[in-house]
Amino acid sequence: MTTTTLVKTETIHYDQAEVKKVLETLDESQLFEVNQLVFYPYYFFECQLERKSLLQPKGGGKAGCAIDGVNKVGSLVDQSPVFLEKELPASDMIPVTYDWEEAEKAAIDFVRHSITYRMKVLAPPKMTITRAELFYRPYWIAEGQSVSPDRYTLTVDAVSGKYHPL
């Protein structure tokens, strides 16, 4: 019996057939197999920013970031993601390698660094985390084979359609 877990994930916008068609359209000399859908863990954090300075006595806003659940790599998020709850087989989920406290610290450090670097401020604003969620983003695993017997693997983001070599 397959063990399943109820998790938060995102809506799949690119199905298996679409991914195969798009990849083969991009390079007609390649054959592609799209065999597996995996779910990669991310922590999502939304922070309320409070800025008080002489130039901007009132101010603030929100900043969102996703922290990779395996490598702790951060990325800023333009829009708050919409999650749905879904039962997933454990075998399709990549395991998280660290806990909430580590993820939260990585998120705060990442947002502070991003704000300081991009806004050229000496001190980042006060931040309060207003939303924190663990979610799993779906990726298709595609295997390509050119005319030669060499094979290679791509991950294709099932939400955005972007692809990355493995």
Side-chain angles (χ1 to χ4, degrees), residues 12-69:
I12 294 173
H13 294 290
Y14 295 89
D15 67 22
Q16 189 173 10
E18 269 183 303
V19 169
K20 180 175 173 54
K21 182 180 176 184
V22 167
L23 291 173
E24 288 178 346
T25 302
L26 290 173
D27 189 346
E28 294 175 5
S29 69
Q30 305 287 316
L31 299 173
F32 289 92
E33 292 178 24
V34 181
N35 296 326
Q36 186 179 11
L37 183 63
V38 297
F39 291 84
Y40 196 93
Y42 290 92
Y43 291 94
F44 172 73
F45 293 94
E46 188 173 80
C47 302
Q48 180 67 42
L49 308 176
E50 296 175 29
R51 258 187 298 176
K52 292 182 181 178
S53 72
L54 295 174
L55 299 175
Q56 291 184 319
K58 293 181 184 176
K62 290 185 178 184
C65 81
I67 300 294
D68 180 316

Side-chain angles (χ1 to χ4, degrees), residues 90-108:
S91 60
D92 292 351
M93 297 167 43
I94 295 171
V96 175
T97 59
Y98 55 94
D99 64 20
W100 278 99
E101 287 180 6
E102 291 176 280
E104 186 173 318
K105 181 180 180 333
I108 290 169

Side-chain angles (χ1 to χ4, degrees), residues 13 35 71-72 76 84-85 89 92 105 140 153:
H13 294 290
N35 296 326
N71 302 312
K72 285 195 224 176
L76 292 176
L84 57 108
E85 288 191 343
D92 292 351
K105 181 180 180 333
W140 289 104
T153 306

